[in-house]
């Protein structure tokens, strides 16, 4: 049981039965590669899992699987600021081939999971998130920023509503900035402000497009947000393509 942040790096690692804390899977201290890592059958309360390369180094992180995680009660659910506290995050360049599967996120003050290269979209690629259950998160379920070839599949999202400051409108799935070749496939969305939202593509013309197919979207209605289609922060749309 860990109550503070802890880090792992190296090759062919298995972490299981963890409880609490915040786990970072990252490149080695001398800039070497980390690969073939499994984090499974664990509970994260007040913390989550981050998969990231270290700045100013050359190593990569690849072939990481997060399986059967129970992530809940992370961050401040009453915040009035944009709180970037994710349950599962894939960050920075030089990270590829990561899977987040068969897991649950509840009462997370940001997205359950987010992909964000924080630079060149090609720096984070081939990420698959499937069979995730999200309930009552402050921002949303699964979200992509700068990245390539990300898949959100067969996940269930319910009860996503705006935060107190109205900064985040309460979406289930979506993307912004420069997510290339995003696939949103066979998910279920219900009782939320928005189903799928593509917003704020302000890094130029989107490349590679997005595939949205086979999703079931029900009981989507705006509550405290507006409902103007040209506003990326509006609610009430099953699929809202503002920046797409």
């Amino acid at each position: 049981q860990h109550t503070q942040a802890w880090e792992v790096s190296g090759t062919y690692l298995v972490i299981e039965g963890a409880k609490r804390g915040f786990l970072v899977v990252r490149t080695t201290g001398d800039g070497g590669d980390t690969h073939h890592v499994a984090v499974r059958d664990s509970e994260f309360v007040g913390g989550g899992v981050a998969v990231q390369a270290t700045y100013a180094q050359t190593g990569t992180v690849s072939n990481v699987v997060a399986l059967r995680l129970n992530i809940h009660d992370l961050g401040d659910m009453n915040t009035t600021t944009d709180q970037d506290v994710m349950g599962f995050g894939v960050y920075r360049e030089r990270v590829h081939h990561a899977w987040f599967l068969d897991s649950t996120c509840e009462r997370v003050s940001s997205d359950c999971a987010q992909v964000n290269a924080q630079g060149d979209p090609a720096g984070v690629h081939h990420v698959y998130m499937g069979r995730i259950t999200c309930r009552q998160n402050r921002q949303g379920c699964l979200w992509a920023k700068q990245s390539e070839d990300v898949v959100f599949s067969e996940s269930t999202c319910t009860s996503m509503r705006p935060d107190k400051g109205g900064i985040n409108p309460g979406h289930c799935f979506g993307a912004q900035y420069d997510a290339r070749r995003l696939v949103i496939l066979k998910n279920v969305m219900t009782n939320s402000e928005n189903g799928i939202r593509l917003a704020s593509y302000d890094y130029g013309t989107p490349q590679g497009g997005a595939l949205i197919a086979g999703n079931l979207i029900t009981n989507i209605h705006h509550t405290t947000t507006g409902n103007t289609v040209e506003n990326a922060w509006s609610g009430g749309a099953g699929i809202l393509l503002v920046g797409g």
Side-chain angles (χ1 to χ4, degrees):
Q1 177 170 322
H2 298 266
T3 58
Q4 297 179 344
W6 51 299
E7 300 179 359
V8 296
S9 60
T11 60
Y12 298 96
L13 307 174
V14 176
I15 299 107
E16 63 181 2
K19 188 175 179 65
R20 305 184 67 86
F22 172 49
L23 171 64
V24 181
V25 180
R26 68 188 315 165
T27 44
T28 65
D30 59 358
D33 296 340
T34 286
H35 58 83
H36 291 89
V37 179
V39 183
R40 65 191 186 194
D41 299 308
S42 297
E43 180 182 12
F44 290 91
V45 186
V49 177
V51 181
Q52 62 186 48
T54 305
Y55 282 128
Q57 290 184 347
T58 58
T60 63
V61 180
S62 65
N63 293 288
V64 177
V65 177
L67 178 66
R68 296 187 297 271
L69 305 185
N70 180 10
I71 302 170
H72 61 93
D73 298 293
L74 170 59
D76 179 9
M77 292 296 288
N78 295 313
T79 183
T80 57
T81 62
D82 189 13
Q83 195 170 73
D84 286 330
V85 183
M86 261 64 70
F88 181 81
V90 181
Y91 299 112
R92 303 175 187 163
E93 299 177 9
R94 309 190 317 279
V95 179
H96 61 89
H97 291 87
W99 291 263
F100 180 40
L101 305 170
D102 298 306
S103 298
T104 301
C105 284
E106 296 181 282
R107 297 177 300 279
V108 176
S109 68
S110 185
D111 295 312
C112 167
Q114 188 179 106
V115 179
N116 184 1
Q118 298 177 330
D120 182 3
V124 167
H125 59 89
H126 291 91
V127 178
Y128 186 97
M129 299 185 181
R131 301 182 301 276
I132 308 300
T133 299
C134 295
R135 303 185 190 96
Q136 296 180 328
N137 296 332
R138 179 57 65 204
Q139 293 187 20
C141 187
L142 307 179
W143 193 255
K145 293 184 178 178
Q146 295 100 323
S147 57
E148 291 187 349
D149 301 298
V150 173
V151 177
F152 300 152
S153 179
E154 298 178 280
S155 296
T156 300
C157 171
T158 185
S159 302
M160 303 296 163
R161 292 296 175 191
D163 53 29
K164 284 190 174 181
I167 298 172
N168 299 288
H171 51 264
C172 286
F173 306 101
Q176 67 188 131
Y177 300 151
D178 199 353
R180 302 175 181 178
R181 297 184 299 277
L182 172 67
V183 175
I184 303 176
L185 180 68
K186 294 186 178 180
N187 302 284
V188 176
M189 291 151 266
T190 186
N191 189 29
S192 297
E193 203 82 1
N194 281 307
I196 296 169
R197 182 168 68 97
L198 299 186
S200 307
Y201 266 81
D202 50 4
Y203 280 63
T205 303
Q207 300 182 41
L211 172 65
I212 299 171
N215 299 283
L216 176 63
I217 308 173
T218 64
N219 193 24
I220 302 296
H221 56 274
H222 74 98
T223 55
T224 60
T225 64
N227 63 345
T228 54
V229 294
E230 68 274 12
N231 185 348
W233 279 260
S234 289
I239 300 175
L240 179 63
L241 307 179
V242 177

